[in-house]
């Protein structure tokens, strides 16, 4: 339970940047997947269930990378929401 709390606190520090970056990543991923796979009910259901996890992961990687390599840009983009 303590480990779960630590993970959730860590994730919460990136919640605003996930909010900022998710739409762009979501649009790109949907376009890529729709061009690769034909539309079907199963494909759409899998997209609905799997894409949120992929988007959160991509946003976390993007946020952590910006925070590490471009901290001033990250601070500017997130409105100085760094812990």
């Amino acid at each position: 339970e303590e480990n779960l709390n630590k993970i959730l606190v860590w994730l919460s520090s990136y919640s605003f940047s996930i909010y900022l970056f998710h739409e762009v990543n979501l649009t790109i991923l949907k376009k890529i997947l729709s061009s690769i796979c034909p539309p079907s009910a199963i494909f759409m259901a899998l997209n609905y269930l799997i894409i949120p996890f992929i988007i959160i992961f991509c946003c976390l990687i993007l946020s952590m990378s910006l925070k590490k390599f471009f901290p001033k840009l990250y601070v500017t983009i997130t409105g100085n929401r760094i812990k």
Side-chain angles (χ1 to χ4, degrees):
E1 185 175 316
E2 186 176 323
N3 287 336
L4 178 61
N5 286 338
K6 287 181 182 181
I7 292 169
L8 291 175
V9 167
W10 177 79
L11 280 173
S12 70
S13 68
Y14 291 102
S15 63
F16 187 71
S17 56
I18 291 171
Y19 169 74
L20 287 178
F21 301 133
H22 85 278
E23 185 61 39
V24 175
N25 289 326
L26 182 62
T27 302
I28 291 169
L29 187 59
K30 280 184 174 181
K31 286 183 180 184
I32 291 170
L33 290 177
S34 66
S35 68
I36 294 173
C37 301
S40 68
I42 293 173
F43 175 71
M44 292 176 74
L46 286 174
N47 277 343
Y48 184 76
L49 296 171
I50 294 172
I51 284 180
F53 296 104
I54 295 170
I55 294 300
I56 290 170
F57 178 75
C58 291
C59 290
L60 281 172
I61 296 297
L62 178 61
S63 298
M64 289 186 299
S65 299
L66 279 174
K67 193 174 185 178
K68 182 176 182 177
F69 297 113
F70 304 101
K72 289 183 181 181
L73 178 62
Y74 182 78
V75 166
T76 303
I77 290 172
T78 60
N80 201 19
R81 287 175 169 86
I82 290 184
K83 287 187 175 183

